[in-house]
Amino acid sequence: AVVGAVLLGALTVGAAAWAVLGGVRPGGQPEHAPSDAPAAPGATGSAVAPEALSEEQLAALPPAVYDAVIPELMGYEETSTTSITHAYTASTDVPVYGADLATPIAKLPATDFLGKPTVIVPVEITGPWALVLTPARQATPSSRGGAAPAQTAGWVPVALLRKGAALDATVRISVSAQSLTVVEEGESTSFAIGVGASETPTPTGTTGYIQARYEDPAQAQYAIQLTTLHSAAVDEPFGGDDGGLIGVHYNTTNTGAVSHGCIRLPYEALVAVDRLPLGTPVVIED
């Protein structure tokens, strides 16, 4: 895996933006909710819309970003992607609520660490609420005996979301088979890949999504696909302070249990994944 070091290069791109923003963009709410937001079957959210937060209240919330640990987030363990249909963005920071749908616990910044619009992926939309996957951790593996959630989720007001690209493809990874399969419009294309070594395993049994992609020419790494998933077993398997992020990227050593948890791809697989839109779900199974 190279994500830990590669992310440092990417952060230099977003550092200026964060310095200007101070990590916070003033809040506010769009006047209209998406008129075509789908309702997920079996949705469990409250029918009561949340009250708007003031700019001061929103600014005080911790950002649910790649290196954050927010205990009130919910762990997400689901490998079905049938309810994931579109990626979204937001023009303002978005408050995130916990399971009680009453207490704001964090916020999704309108822009990510690269200074680009944060990609938001709902897995359930019901009434005024959307259950979305977040790029933050609920807990570090060291605090959970090496078994922390690899993916988190929280509720957000759907009125703050702006519908973007349709998500017609899914990336499904089998750790035991050491394979990556792109499933799109009923067609499947599979590739042999490299996965995590025994001391730094790739997390399984959950779904994240491609939240960003960037390059690090200094390490000859191009079209790195950064997911919202984290190592469930080790706090920082690659060292540094990237939060144990799981990346999907090219490497010359791309077969076997060889990585720090990331997914290592041959060139053909990289091309297949790189053409998919941001927000594309990434399912990792045993």
Side-chain angles (χ1 to χ4, degrees), residues 227-282:
T227 77
T228 53
L229 294 156
H230 297 257
S231 171
V234 184
D235 290 2
E236 296 286 354
F238 191 66
D241 56 1
D242 67 7
L245 284 170
I246 301 300
V248 179
H249 59 83
Y250 172 79
N251 194 286
T252 53
T253 304
N254 52 50
T255 57
V258 293
S259 81
H260 291 84
C262 290
I263 307 302
R264 295 186 179 185
L265 306 181
Y267 180 74
E268 316 83 69
L270 176 66
V271 171
V273 175
D274 188 55
R275 67 178 179 77
L276 302 174
L278 293 179
T280 295
V282 177

Side-chain angles (χ1 to χ4, degrees), residues 87-199:
Y88 289 74
T89 57
S91 60
T92 65
D93 292 355
V94 178
V96 180
Y97 292 75
D100 64 1
L101 292 169
T103 307
I105 59 174
K107 64 188 171 192
L108 289 173
T111 54
D112 63 16
F113 63 90
L114 294 172
K116 298 180 179 180
T118 295
V119 178
I120 302 171
V121 174
V123 295
E124 180 178 306
I125 296 179
T126 177
W129 292 98
L131 181 65
V132 304
L133 303 180
T134 86
R137 274 175 160 170
Q138 182 198 61
T140 57
S142 61
S143 71
R144 294 288 184 87
Q151 178 63 54
T152 59
W155 292 96
V156 305
V158 73
L160 297 181
L161 303 183
R162 293 183 172 181
K163 182 178 282 189
L167 302 176
D168 300 321
T170 299
V171 175
R172 303 195 76 91
I173 295 164
S174 170
V175 170
S176 60
Q178 296 176 5
S179 68
L180 178 149
T181 301
V182 177
V183 182
E184 187 173 15
E185 297 180 352
E187 299 292 329
S188 298
T189 306
S190 297
F191 306 89
I193 59 171
V195 298
S198 58
E199 300 82 7

Side-chain angles (χ1 to χ4, degrees), residues 10-20 113-114:
L11 285 174
T12 61
V13 178
W18 279 109
V20 172
F113 63 90
L114 294 172

Side-chain angles (χ1 to χ4, degrees), residues 34-55:
S35 59
D36 53 351
T44 57
S46 167
V48 179
E51 294 185 4
L53 301 183
S54 69
E55 291 189 6

